[in-house]
Amino acid sequence: MKKSYQRLRGTLDFYPPESDLIQEIVGKARNLFNTFGYQEVILPILEREEIFTKSVGKTSDIVGEKQMFRVEGKDIVLRPEGTAGMVRSFIENALYTKKDFYKFFYIGPMFRGERPQKGRLRQFHHIGCEAFGSNSPYLDVEVIKLALSILQECGIKGIKLKVNSLGCQQDKANLTNFLKKELISYRSKLCPLCQRRLTTNPLRVLDCKEESCRKVVSHLDISDRFLCKECLCHFNEVLSLLKELEIDFLYQPTLVRGLDYYTNTVFELVHKQLGSQDACGAGGRYNDLVKNLGGPSIPAIGFALGLERMLLLLKKPDLTSKVLVFVAYTSLNVYPQAYKLLNTLRKNKVSSDISYKEKSLKSQLRSAEKAGANFVIIVGDEEIKRGHLIVRDMKKSCQRTVECSRILDFFLS
Ligand code: HAM
């Protein structure tokens, strides 16, 4: 027996109707991004590893837990997320010298060597956006509203919005110091990963999903008391704007996100149907990242939705073909005419197909049915001599004769 190959763990093959559904989601997202004034960028999948260690952070799961796929022998990785590459490109192209405000979106594959499970893949797709040049709380709310609108437009219901503010770097440092002091007495009660996080990144203990860690965290008084006056004011404005727009949210002071670059507003869009990997999308501000990667100090904010997690929340569509017309022939003598007709239909944007295998008419009709065709045009030996074609309505199970010269009108009118 010949060896057969299987797809890699944590990767997916998409066939119709799922691949059609993906195109539909992407189309809806693109339209909404345009409506909100965001422009598409297409950036490399390969990036230098350093941009992620410097942005996502050495203690993040992506970098710290060695989840990046490296090109052997090189300091190059398959991008695990889109923000760092976007910032690299923003700085490299000195976009800030041309305009003081930019809004971009991107749709593409990301790669993370995580342990695969439901909703957690090694290759997945982000539908994301990034806005550069403003610290306005109105922009924070625009970005949140945009993410929610995409999910809603795709027919996903039951999404919950969780928000928090991490404050500026100084606020983050104050909270980190507080956690270091408070958590040390609970050390033995934390999971092994959080015991390590105590020294590397205590903030991450706050959103650990382990029951034992959650219990410890529930004893802590964190709330917004670590935010400085300016950051608290910014966050309060975000919350009151959300209320004004009647966007329901849950303020969750333990929401810290797994990527180090965040400052101020952070948010997650969760759905309980997704189980333990419940975030369908997430984002936040990263006001220091442009500077940290070598650019000027420019505030920014964005989000990314996980396409595969969106698919998990959508009902599997029925298998419906997009082929409208199937061209059939009664004998090989008229195959050239049938083939010519097929090309005329296609030239006029009528979706159509033909059998490339020699088949009886009965068998061609069965193929047409399987393809979900609404009509079959039968090119008959006798009819064609009289300049006629037979058009069979597959849904109504009836047929009529149409003159060859009028066949296009029949489908275009
Ligand atoms: P993230 O939370 O790491 O954020 O990813 C965003 C979304 O991608 C998640 O909410 C989830 O739906 C999906 N996702 C993440 N990892 C996986 C995986 N292994 N398998 C399947 N889906 C996954 C970011 O990446 C940030 N760059 C978002 C952002 C943009 N923040 C500001 N701008």
Side-chain angles (χ1 to χ4, degrees):
M1 262 241 304
K2 272 195 189 153
K3 186 178 175 184
S4 75
Y5 295 96
Q6 290 175 336
R7 64 186 157 81
L8 295 173
R9 245 159 64 82
T11 65
L12 293 174
D13 298 326
F14 291 113
Y15 279 90
E18 241 175 355
S19 51
D20 290 336
L21 181 60
I22 290 174
Q23 289 313 323
E24 213 176 298
I25 293 172
V26 166
K28 284 181 172 159
R30 276 210 174 92
N31 283 343
L32 272 163
F33 280 129
N34 289 330
T35 307
F36 278 66
Y38 289 69
Q39 288 182 303
E40 184 159 12
V41 287
I42 301 169
L43 301 178
I45 289 168
L46 293 173
E47 289 280 1
R48 237 169 262 292
E49 183 173 17
E50 200 180 336
I51 68 161
F52 300 105
T53 35
K54 278 197 169 161
S55 60
V56 169
K58 284 199 178 98
T59 57
S60 66
D61 294 344
I62 291 175
V63 180
E65 303 299 313
K66 304 202 177 355
Q67 290 174 351
M68 281 193 284
F69 287 103
R70 271 177 128 237
V71 176
E72 212 183 323
K74 303 226 164 32
D75 64 346
I76 292 171
V77 293
L78 297 178
R79 63 182 183 193
E81 58 102 57
T83 311
M86 178 75 245
V87 173
R88 188 269 310 143
S89 172
F90 179 79
I91 300 167
E92 183 176 349
N93 291 293
L95 296 183
Y96 46 87
T97 58
K98 297 170 189 131
K99 259 175 27 174
D100 63 357
F101 188 60
Y102 281 95
K103 298 203 286 195
F104 296 116
F105 78 90
Y106 49 88
I107 297 168
M110 306 291 158
F111 305 83
R112 294 183 194 175
E114 299 187 81
R115 198 161 41 82
Q117 63 179 86
K118 182 188 162 200
R120 192 158 76 186
L121 296 159
R122 290 184 168 166
Q123 177 173 338
F124 56 98
H125 294 79
H126 269 172
I127 297 179
C129 71
E130 317 291 348
F132 295 93
S134 166
N135 190 36
S136 165
Y138 284 88
L139 178 62
D140 298 40
V141 176
E142 169 178 293
V143 164
I144 293 173
K145 174 83 187 157
L146 175 52
L148 284 167
S149 302
I150 294 174
L151 295 173
Q152 194 185 8
E153 185 70 19
C154 292
I156 296 172
K157 295 190 182 87
I159 289 285
K160 251 197 194 151
L161 165 67
K162 293 182 181 175
V163 278
N164 188 27
S165 174
L166 297 171
C168 53
Q169 289 301 353
Q170 187 56 54
D171 298 345
K172 272 174 85 174
N174 293 343
L175 175 58
T176 304
N177 287 336
F178 165 80
L179 290 174
K180 265 187 185 156
K181 273 192 217 131
E182 287 293 307
L183 290 173
I184 200 77
S185 49
Y186 295 101
R187 195 170 205 286
S188 60
K189 297 205 167 91
L190 298 173
C191 74
L193 180 59
C194 282
Q195 292 193 9
R196 269 187 279 140
R197 282 170 169 162
L198 263 186
T199 41
T200 57
N201 190 355
L203 278 181
R204 290 300 313 286
V205 178
L206 291 181
D207 67 359
C208 178
K209 297 219 160 72
E210 291 290 329
E211 198 46 48
S212 55
C213 301
R214 280 179 180 218
K215 230 176 180 171
V216 169
V217 167
S218 69
H219 294 305
L220 303 176
D221 171 23
I222 34 176
S223 68
D224 55 13
R225 68 195 177 94
F226 292 95
L227 298 183
C228 65
K229 218 168 129 195
E230 204 182 314
C231 291
L232 181 62
C233 178
H234 186 276
F235 188 46
N236 282 336
E237 267 196 74
V238 170
L239 297 187
S240 72
L241 285 168
L242 286 173
K243 281 184 200 144
E244 234 170 80
L245 288 182
E246 296 180 352
I247 297 173
D248 286 336
F249 64 85
L250 177 73
Y251 162 49
Q252 190 171 307
T254 54
L255 180 70
V256 291
R257 310 270 302 115
L259 313 167
D260 283 2
Y261 50 63
Y262 289 116
T263 55
N264 298 91
T265 313
V266 283
F267 62 93
E268 269 183 9
L269 301 160
V270 299
H271 199 293
K272 60 175 188 296
Q273 212 176 296
L274 289 172
S276 65
Q277 304 301 312
D278 66 351
C280 187
R285 280 208 162 270
Y286 47 96
N287 285 347
D288 299 321
L289 186 56
V290 179
K291 191 164 171 218
N292 290 346
L293 286 186
S297 177
I298 290 175
I301 182 168
F303 71 76
L305 300 174
L307 179 61
E308 287 76 2
R309 293 198 190 167
M310 290 172 74
L311 285 176
L312 287 175
L313 294 173
L314 288 166
K315 267 214 323 248
K316 284 222 182 333
D318 294 331
L319 183 70
T320 47
S321 165
K322 284 184 193 149
V323 172
L324 178 71
V325 181
F326 200 90
V327 181
Y329 50 92
T330 48
S331 82
L332 282 185
N333 296 334
V334 289
Y335 196 87
Q337 283 97 321
Y339 191 67
K340 202 168 157 197
L341 172 63
L342 174 78
N343 284 299
T344 309
L345 290 166
R346 287 177 174 172
K347 201 171 163 191
N348 287 279
K349 307 271 182 291
V350 178
S351 83
S352 39
D353 215 342
I354 196 167
S355 170
Y356 288 103
K357 286 184 167 194
E358 198 180 332
K359 280 183 178 176
S360 67
L361 181 59
K362 204 168 153 197
S363 159
Q364 290 177 69
L365 289 176
R366 263 202 307 271
S367 304
E369 205 172 336
K370 272 192 196 154
N374 288 354
F375 297 95
V376 176
I377 303 178
I378 302 168
V379 183
D381 289 74
E382 289 310 312
E383 287 77 10
I384 206 84
K385 280 185 204 151
R386 294 195 294 272
H388 288 163
L389 294 161
I390 297 168
V391 177
R392 187 172 172 79
D393 186 324
M394 297 295 279
K395 305 285 170 252
K396 294 186 189 152
S397 291
C398 60
Q399 59 187 48
R400 56 184 278 199
T401 306
V402 177
E403 275 175 45
C404 287
S405 57
R406 304 203 51 141
I407 196 74
L408 271 182
D409 296 344
F410 184 90
F411 289 105
L412 298 178
S413 57

